[in-house]
Amino acid sequence: MSERHPIIAITGSSGAGTSTVTRTFENIFRREGVTAAVIEGDSFHRYDRKQMKVKAAEAEANGNQNFSHFGAEANLFEEIETLFRTYSETGQGRSRKYLHNAEEAAPYKQDPGTFTAWEDLPAGTDMLFYEGLHGAVVTPEVNVAQYPDLLVGVVPVINLEWIQKLWRDKNMRGYSADAVTDTILRRMPDYVHYITPQFQHTHVNFQRVPIVDTSNPFVARDVPTADESMVVIRFAKPKGIDFQYLLSMVHGSMMSRANTIVVPGGKMELAMQLIFTPFIWRMVERKKQYAPRVG
Ligand SMILES: Nc1ncnc2c1ncn2[C@@H]1O[C@H](COP(=O)(O)OP(=O)(O)OP(=O)(O)O)[C@@H](O)[C@H]1O
Ligand SMILES: O=C(CO)[C@H](O)[C@H](O)COP(=O)(O)O
């Protein structure tokens, strides 16, 4: 935790919706005049696409069919921890990008599936914003979860997560349904060991729940829309959260537990704005108290 150089981390599986949530935060940042250094978790994969194929084949030859982008061996957990620690102490650090498709790769004149060079973060940012797979990872070797001042989990129920992943990987990244299904299967042990345990460290979880039948995600043609879903929002420490205010502002919301509010899917962005804008105000205020005084 750092008053001077705060960190927000949005953590979730592939296709969970962390990029979608990031756009909501970017709107809040723009409105509130906050500059954030935005980090994409995929840039902390250990291998580029070609190397990953080789490593997966080697693992398979040694009897491991579950080598995956969710696990410790295929990611640079230490570097994520170092980035968070360095930023919280100094407001600086290094990042790069993983270029998923031709569109992302074109501006860099690189091939899809490669990394850009490591670069220093821009100077003078108000906060670090991480979005990706491992923002709250804890293993015997690393503890990434100890650093963020605000740690948000994005976790649709699993059938919806798979539908979202299948839709995005087919339509935006050019993979076949069979290839995505194989990836989901290969990643399952790492999903259980590295992805889900993070949600016990997060401060707030957003769980999208469809209210239409998603019983066979592998044949679904469309992602259930916002109107076809509800969002369960759970606060690890509800003290200080003004639920009455949220209930009055978000039409159609209700409490399902003392620390859990449920909102219609179409109100997720509004709920996020109402919940997170005051957090960001407080972070900016605390940061200002530490700013060197001029004159
Ligand atoms: N709240 C939402 N309402 C409707 N659809 C959503 C919502 N969130 C995500 N989706 C759908 O899920 C797809 C995946 O979302 P997104 O790209 O945000 O995932 P991600 O977690 O960033 O994945 P990755 O980390 O692999 O890039 C989107 O293309 C969109 O179709
Ligand atoms: O979304 C992902 C993880 O969050 C991707 O699966 C990962 O970044 C690897 O991408 P690719 O298999 O296309 O090289």
Side-chain angles (χ1 to χ4, degrees):
M1 305 276 260
S2 170
E3 314 253 294
R4 222 176 280 222
H5 304 294
I7 299 175
I8 298 178
I10 313 296
T11 197
S13 177
S14 178
T18 54
S19 308
T20 308
V21 169
T22 296
R23 285 193 282 281
T24 302
F25 270 89
E26 283 173 340
N27 285 337
I28 302 176
F29 292 151
R30 202 189 49 251
R31 218 174 293 122
E32 304 305 321
V34 167
T35 52
V38 178
I39 303 295
E40 292 167 16
D42 290 353
S43 58
F44 288 88
H45 290 330
R46 194 182 295 276
Y47 304 113
D48 68 19
R49 191 170 292 158
K50 274 190 195 149
Q51 293 168 331
M52 187 67 189
K53 280 209 179 104
V54 172
K55 291 288 169 189
E58 280 173 13
E60 211 164 317
N62 291 323
N64 173 9
Q65 300 196 335
N66 298 108
F67 185 77
S68 94
H69 274 122
F70 285 172
E73 285 169 56
N75 288 282
L76 304 170
F77 288 169
E78 285 86 1
E79 279 78 351
I80 305 177
E81 189 188 51
T82 302
L83 170 67
F84 282 15
R85 190 184 57 249
T86 312
Y87 188 88
S88 68
E89 289 166 3
T90 66
Q92 281 157 14
R94 283 185 339 145
S95 78
R96 62 179 178 177
K97 277 187 191 303
Y98 182 73
L99 305 169
H100 280 102
N101 54 28
E103 195 188 341
E104 285 175 19
Y108 297 92
K109 300 193 171 39
Q110 290 186 207
D111 290 333
T114 61
F115 297 104
T116 61
W118 289 102
E119 281 182 41
D120 289 336
L121 298 180
T125 50
D126 294 316
M127 54 189 72
L128 183 76
F129 183 92
Y130 168 98
E131 171 250 316
L133 297 170
H134 298 118
V137 96
V138 178
T139 68
E141 292 78 30
V142 300
N143 183 342
V144 172
Q146 67 185 305
Y147 291 107
D149 302 76
L150 175 60
L151 202 37
V152 180
V154 182
V155 200
V157 293
I158 199 156
N159 280 10
L160 178 56
E161 188 170 289
W162 289 347
I163 292 173
Q164 292 187 174
K165 179 164 177 64
L166 280 151
W167 188 93
R168 200 270 320 273
D169 283 5
K170 279 193 293 183
N171 295 292
M172 317 283 286
R173 296 185 180 170
Y175 289 109
S176 70
D178 285 347
V180 186
T181 307
D182 284 347
T183 302
I184 290 172
L185 287 171
R186 192 177 58 252
R187 290 174 167 185
M188 200 37 71
D190 284 340
Y191 185 88
V192 172
H193 292 116
Y194 292 98
I195 301 295
T196 53
Q198 295 181 80
F199 305 117
Q200 79 206 53
H201 304 297
T202 40
H203 305 147
V204 194
N205 285 334
F206 286 79
Q207 184 161 53
R208 208 155 82 88
V209 181
I211 49 172
V212 289
D213 183 14
T214 56
S215 44
N216 186 350
F218 300 100
V219 297
R221 268 168 302 160
D222 294 306
V223 177
T225 64
D227 286 341
E228 294 171 336
S229 58
M230 301 292 284
V231 181
V232 174
I233 306 172
R234 175 225 173 226
F235 295 85
K237 292 193 182 138
K239 197 170 164 212
I241 302 297
D242 191 346
F243 288 110
Q244 272 306 336
Y245 172 71
L246 293 175
L247 288 168
S248 69
M249 294 294 281
V250 183
H251 186 69
S253 61
M254 61 175 183
M255 299 294 295
S256 62
R257 279 204 180 153
N259 63 347
T260 306
I261 182 166
V262 182
V263 305
K267 303 280 184 202
M268 180 164 114
E269 178 152 0
L270 172 65
M272 286 190 168
Q273 282 172 24
L274 296 171
I275 293 164
F276 295 128
T277 304
F279 262 93
I280 288 169
W281 285 338
R282 281 200 292 277
M283 281 180 186
V284 172
E285 274 313 306
R286 283 206 305 262
K287 188 177 158 58
K288 271 191 201 148
Q289 286 167 12
Y290 281 94
R293 290 177 198 281
V294 182

